[in-house]
Amino acid sequence: MGTSVTISAATDQEAEQILKLQYLCYQQEAALHDDYGIEPLTQTLQALRAELGEGCVVVARLGEEVVGSVRGTVGEDGTARIAKLIVHPRMRRHGLGGRLLDAVERRLADEHAALRYRLFAGQRGDGNLRLYRNHGYAPVATEESGSRRGVVTLEKESGRQVAPVAAPAGPGVGELAAQA
């Protein structure tokens, strides 16, 4: 009997697995952009543990093995920054990246009141850009980060409504109409 992939919040005990998977997954990105100094390849275990404690980290597990992960944080303005979406190379092209993206978006909206989502992708990462566009993200900016690597900023609205501000005391619109 096969084991199915489950998606849920990451635990501190999974930090090493996430870091090893991140290192494996970002090799292709680094090669594509000829930049092996990117932060996902230089991040320490201590820094990853801090992210686990501060933000929203979701993992995909196949049995006990972490085969995917994504992270997000929400700023004071309600903008969620989604980062480091990774899927083990043998698990790619089966919709797992999209499932992880959906899961982190849901958690960021439900638990952290995200109003919009922002993420960044390498300009040469056609597969990543296609995934994000298929999930409703639109490019809003392109910039150079370093001498060789173009970075595309993509965003989408969360669909979450901002609570209306209470109207000042006094007659409402219906009451004014009734009085006229």
Side-chain angles (χ1 to χ4, degrees):
M1 177 186 270
T3 305
S4 62
V5 174
T6 59
I7 296 176
S8 61
T11 66
D12 190 57
Q13 292 77 26
E14 294 167 320
E16 279 190 58
Q17 281 191 70
I18 295 168
L19 191 62
K20 287 176 184 177
L21 180 61
Q22 174 178 303
Y23 189 80
L24 172 67
C25 291
Y26 273 93
Q27 294 297 316
Q28 182 178 359
E29 186 81 8
L32 187 63
H33 295 283
D34 193 28
D35 184 357
Y36 289 86
I38 58 177
E39 192 268 343
L41 294 181
T42 60
Q43 185 176 32
T44 65
L45 183 58
Q46 181 180 6
L48 174 59
R49 286 188 194 281
E51 285 184 10
L52 284 168
E54 296 169 1
C56 173
V57 183
V58 177
V59 294
R61 294 177 197 85
L62 183 62
E64 296 296 315
E65 178 188 9
V66 173
V67 294
S69 179
V70 64
R71 300 169 218 177
T73 57
V74 179
E76 289 182 20
D77 67 348
T79 301
R81 181 178 174 171
I82 297 175
K84 298 181 181 117
L85 174 62
I86 55 175
V87 174
H88 194 287
R90 76 173 190 273
M91 302 294 294
R92 291 181 184 158
R93 315 283 301 155
H94 297 287
L96 187 52
R99 288 178 56 201
L100 282 163
L101 190 56
D102 290 343
V104 78
E105 287 174 358
R106 253 189 325 275
R107 288 198 57 211
L108 290 167
D110 294 347
E111 299 171 18
H112 302 279
L115 301 174
R116 76 196 58 75
Y117 306 110
R118 179 178 297 147
L119 50 80
F120 305 90
Q123 195 170 21
R124 296 180 188 161
D126 294 335
N128 295 338
L129 293 170
R130 186 172 33 257
L131 169 69
Y132 301 140
R133 284 189 189 111
N134 287 343
H135 281 264
Y137 287 83
V140 295
T142 302
E143 62 185 78
E144 289 301 317
S145 174
S147 61
R148 299 172 286 200
R149 187 166 179 250
V151 176
V152 180
T153 303
L154 299 103
E155 291 185 356
K156 81 173 187 180
E157 297 299 313
S158 74
R160 182 181 178 90
Q161 299 296 319
V162 178
V165 177
V173 175
E175 292 171 285
L176 287 175
Q179 291 175 0

